[in-house]
Amino acid sequence: CEDEQEVNWLAMVIRQALSSLTEEERYLIERKFWDGASEREIARELGISQPAVNKRIKQILARLREVLE
């Protein structure tokens, strides 16, 4: 099953990329993309502004893109 091997390889690469994040960075990504929380909700949870959450998420995604390229 070549497709299954490719999926397993891709999952491993993504796990490695996510493991390079700090605990807070993983929290932001998990809350935003896995839990579907809004940036406003995340900001309230962390005690920071919504624009700060947006900026951090953009920075994290840029780093993940670099790692995955």
Side-chain angles (χ1 to χ4, degrees):
C1 291
E2 194 172 306
D3 287 344
E4 187 176 330
Q5 288 176 339
E6 189 172 325
V7 167
N8 288 338
W9 177 81
L10 185 57
M12 180 193 69
V13 169
I14 291 170
R15 273 194 301 276
Q16 287 177 336
L18 291 174
S19 73
S20 72
L21 300 177
T22 67
E23 189 174 325
E24 182 180 290
E25 290 170 335
R26 270 192 309 277
Y27 177 82
L28 285 166
I29 295 300
E30 288 174 5
R31 289 292 289 136
K32 174 81 174 161
F33 297 104
W34 274 263
D35 300 339
S38 70
E39 291 179 357
R40 182 167 291 158
E41 290 173 305
I42 298 167
R44 206 172 19 250
E45 292 166 6
L46 296 177
I48 60 177
S49 69
Q50 181 273 325
V53 169
N54 181 278
K55 182 178 179 181
R56 289 181 190 184
I57 288 174
K58 284 182 180 179
Q59 291 171 336
I60 295 164
L61 292 177
R63 280 203 358 259
L64 286 174
R65 271 192 290 282
E66 288 176 11
V67 169
L68 293 171
E69 286 180 346

